[in-house]
Amino acid sequence: AEVGAQVHWGICLPASCTVKDVEGFLATAVGHRVQVEEKFCHSEQPLEFTNSEVFFLCILTMFTLIVIVSTGHSIYHYCHNDINKPRLPTLLNAILKSFSITENLVKLVKKGSDDLGLGCVNGIKTLAMVFIISGHAMAFIAGGPVQNPDFYAKQSQYVQNAFLLNSPLLVDTFLLLSGFLFARLLLVELEKRKGKVNFGFLYIFRYIRLTPAYMAVLFLYMVLLEKLGSGPLWDARIGLEQERCTSSWWINLLYLNNYLGTEKLCMFQSWYLAADTQLFILAPLLLYPLWRWRKIGVYLFAASATISVLIPFVVTYVNNLDPTFLAFADEISDLSENFYFINFYIKTHMRATAYIFGLLTGFLVHYMQEKKWHYACWITSVIAGAASMFSIVIFYNPDYESSRIENALYAGLHRMGWSFFTSWIVFVCVTGRAKPLHRFLASRVMAPFSRLTYCAYLTNGLVELYLASTIRTPKYLTVLNLVSAM
């Protein structure tokens, strides 16, 4: 039986040509029948805007004007600081400050406070986000048109590249930090208020804090994304992404898009916010009993941690899955259509281990500061972290066929090992047991980048998608140009 090969071949033709014309031209050129899908034909059209696009542009223009006025007000205030002039109302002054470029730049570069020893979190967040973005860039490059696809397959087998192939563990770092910070701050509030904390207010505050920027990026995907560029793959990738977002944006704003509407997943990275929000809602069910009834809370924590490890093990074994998300080039051209990514990778019940370890770390920092087993924990955590991160290359070796039980064990244990390593790093930094490391992670240069991680999270997918959709010639992969592209 003959096996058909899919070839992406970009050619320029007059806009009046139809898909049939393209098929006829290519069939004549290659000497075989060629099938061309409509979505792979992109034609340059005059720039026209629909009513919804005009409305969105008006909103953007309004915010731009507010930013300009606010910035001008701040600059004028600094240049003409006359106390005899009447001041603006407090609320209006606060609004103008919040939109001012100069005010926000000052806040951005300001050295962060190290209250409760949390300054080291800035460095961990910054480093994790850098490697996550690098992993995303690698996935888009390797999953796009390349001249030497065998290069990526060979590089995937080298242990030094494991941190890019296993970038999902770095995403777990953010889940762990989220759980740690929530536990650290909530336990302080429970002590201060004697257990009288309004959890409903915490949920509402989180939604209000995260959603406006998230919504703005979603609407950009829905409304203006298609107008931002062009290329042979533009309609096939950007048009599809816009269609997905138009269908499922409201699920994203409910933070349920990792379970509902996954066949139309908008923004491949948006699953993280949904999983983190769901775990945030459930976290008080573990933290409050731990604070109120210590013994019951410890048992509850132990049970939850055990279940969070068993679920990936059982799911992987029963469904005979890969041990984790394996970024093979032919499977990552569109992450939102990857079977493992959609059905298992993005599910909260598959990613809860890191968050639970984060909650536990917050509890230990709050109540237990003894130095017992200090060196033993260093050695154990480093070994566990290195094994979890770098052992991934085994599964990229074409000569190695892992068994069902090996895949299940890796799925259940590698997140636990990495979470233990990251938890220990956080613990020793916050409690002052690793002062050189703490000084590096809490350094002033880390603070601005740490404050920008949410913006980087929201926009890095758009940047990578844009670059992948506008590409007009295949890349020739080498270590140098792959590193420079990332």
Side-chain angles (χ1 to χ4, degrees):
E2 294 184 359
V3 179
Q6 186 181 44
V7 179
H8 293 280
W9 190 6
I11 58 174
C12 294
L13 294 172
S16 58
C17 292
T18 65
V19 172
K20 295 296 182 185
D21 295 329
V22 178
E23 288 179 345
F25 173 79
L26 292 176
T28 303
V30 301
H32 296 282
R33 181 178 176 274
V34 177
Q35 184 177 359
V36 179
E37 295 183 43
E38 184 76 38
K39 66 180 181 179
F40 288 112
C41 291
H42 174 75
S43 59
E44 301 288 345
Q45 300 292 341
L47 195 59
E48 297 178 354
F49 295 96
T50 64
N51 292 336
S52 60
E53 291 167 347
V54 171
F55 177 75
F56 187 68
L57 284 172
C58 289
I59 297 294
L60 289 180
T61 302
M62 181 187 70
F63 276 104
T64 303
L65 291 174
I66 292 174
V67 169
I68 292 172
V69 171
S70 300
T71 305
H73 172 263
S74 294
I75 294 173
Y76 180 84
H77 176 74
Y78 286 128
C79 294
H80 304 84
N81 191 13
D82 188 350
I83 60 173
N84 295 321
K85 291 184 177 181
R87 296 181 179 180
L88 293 172
T90 304
L91 178 60
L92 179 57
N93 190 60
I95 293 173
L96 288 174
K97 277 190 171 184
S98 65
F99 283 97
S100 169
I101 294 176
T102 55
E103 293 284 346
N104 283 285
L105 281 176
V106 170
K107 292 178 182 178
L108 182 65
V109 300
K110 183 179 179 181
K111 184 178 180 180
S113 63
D114 200 13
D115 293 342
L116 304 176
L118 301 180
C120 62
V121 172
N122 291 333
I124 298 174
K125 286 171 61 179
T126 299
L127 295 175
M129 181 54 74
V130 167
F131 289 119
I132 289 170
I133 293 175
S134 298
H136 288 171
M138 184 200 68
F140 274 93
I141 292 171
V146 296
Q147 296 181 34
N148 54 332
D150 61 316
F151 174 83
Y152 175 77
K154 291 177 181 178
Q155 290 295 315
S156 300
Q157 301 172 40
Y158 298 149
V159 68
Q160 65 266 27
N161 298 323
F163 70 96
L164 292 175
L165 300 169
N166 220 352
S167 59
L169 284 183
L170 296 165
V171 178
D172 283 359
T173 299
F174 273 92
L175 284 173
L176 186 141
L177 290 177
S178 180
F180 166 73
L181 292 172
F182 183 53
R184 189 76 176 103
L185 299 177
L186 181 61
L187 289 171
V188 170
E189 287 300 309
L190 287 171
E191 295 281 0
K192 186 188 301 183
R193 302 175 185 274
K194 302 186 183 305
K196 297 179 180 179
V197 174
N198 188 335
F199 293 105
F201 175 78
L202 291 178
Y203 299 148
I204 293 171
F205 178 76
R206 175 188 168 87
Y207 189 88
I208 293 173
R209 182 171 59 89
L210 295 180
T211 305
Y214 185 29
M215 184 166 57
V217 176
L218 279 174
F219 285 174
L220 177 62
Y221 272 74
M222 290 168 51
V223 179
L224 286 182
L225 189 60
E226 202 171 15
K227 297 285 194 301
L228 297 179
S230 64
L233 301 176
W234 188 260
D235 290 349
R237 305 201 70 167
I238 296 295
L240 178 60
E241 189 71 16
Q242 188 171 41
E243 179 187 329
R244 288 169 176 163
C245 291
T246 303
S247 301
S248 62
W249 63 271
W250 60 276
I251 304 177
N252 285 57
L253 294 183
L254 292 176
Y255 297 96
L256 296 172
N257 50 300
N258 60 332
Y259 283 101
L260 301 179
T262 53
E263 72 283 356
K264 294 284 187 180
L265 182 65
C266 170
M267 295 173 58
F268 73 91
Q269 77 274 28
S270 63
W271 70 269
Y272 171 84
L273 264 184
D276 186 67
T277 299
Q278 292 156 21
L279 291 167
F280 180 86
I281 293 172
L282 295 174
L285 299 179
L286 291 176
L287 288 174
Y288 187 81
L290 192 63
W291 175 82
R292 186 72 175 82
W293 308 285
R294 184 67 50 80
K295 191 173 182 179
I296 295 175
V298 169
Y299 287 137
L300 190 59
F301 245 106
S304 300
T306 302
I307 292 171
S308 74
V309 173
L310 286 176
I311 287 176
F313 172 86
V314 173
V315 170
T316 301
Y317 186 83
V318 170
N319 294 281
N320 195 18
L321 301 173
D322 289 334
T324 185
F325 178 68
L326 299 178
F328 293 111
D330 58 344
E331 297 178 6
I332 56 175
S333 59
D334 184 358
L335 288 175
S336 296
E337 289 186 352
N338 183 281
F339 175 79
Y340 187 93
F341 182 85
I342 290 297
N343 293 286
F344 302 100
Y345 177 86
I346 65 176
K347 305 302 184 185
T348 303
H349 60 271
M350 298 287 284
R351 309 301 297 261
T353 302
Y355 198 92
I356 291 174
F357 266 78
L359 295 176
L360 181 59
T361 305
F363 167 76
L364 292 175
V365 168
H366 189 75
Y367 287 112
M368 301 172 64
Q369 307 249 349
E370 294 86 358
K371 295 185 177 181
K372 296 178 181 179
W373 309 109
H374 185 237
Y375 295 109
C377 285
W378 260 118
I379 295 171
T380 307
S381 65
V382 170
I383 293 174
S388 299
M389 174 60 72
F390 295 106
S391 59
I392 186 69
V393 296
I394 297 173
F395 301 102
Y396 283 91
N397 188 339
D399 298 325
Y400 178 77
E401 292 187 12
S402 57
S403 66
R404 196 169 185 169
I405 190 66
E406 286 176 316
N407 289 348
L409 284 171
Y410 187 83
L413 296 177
H414 79 294
R415 297 191 190 286
M416 182 181 72
W418 182 256
S419 297
F420 176 54
F421 168 70
T422 312
S423 295
W424 180 247
I425 294 296
V426 173
F427 182 82
V428 294
C429 287
V430 172
T431 57
R433 290 175 171 81
K435 292 183 179 179
L437 181 60
H438 177 85
R439 281 195 295 269
F440 168 70
L441 293 174
S443 62
R444 185 165 188 168
V445 71
M446 294 292 187
F449 294 105
S450 174
R451 296 180 183 120
L452 291 172
T453 52
Y454 185 53
C455 293
Y457 159 77
L458 290 177
T459 58
N460 84 92
L462 177 58
V463 173
E464 300 298 345
L465 184 63
Y466 177 87
L467 294 176
S469 302
T470 54
I471 190 170
R472 284 170 166 78
T473 57
K475 289 183 177 293
Y476 185 83
L477 299 182
T478 65
V479 173
L480 184 61
N481 66 26
L482 198 59
V483 170
S484 63
M486 293 188 294

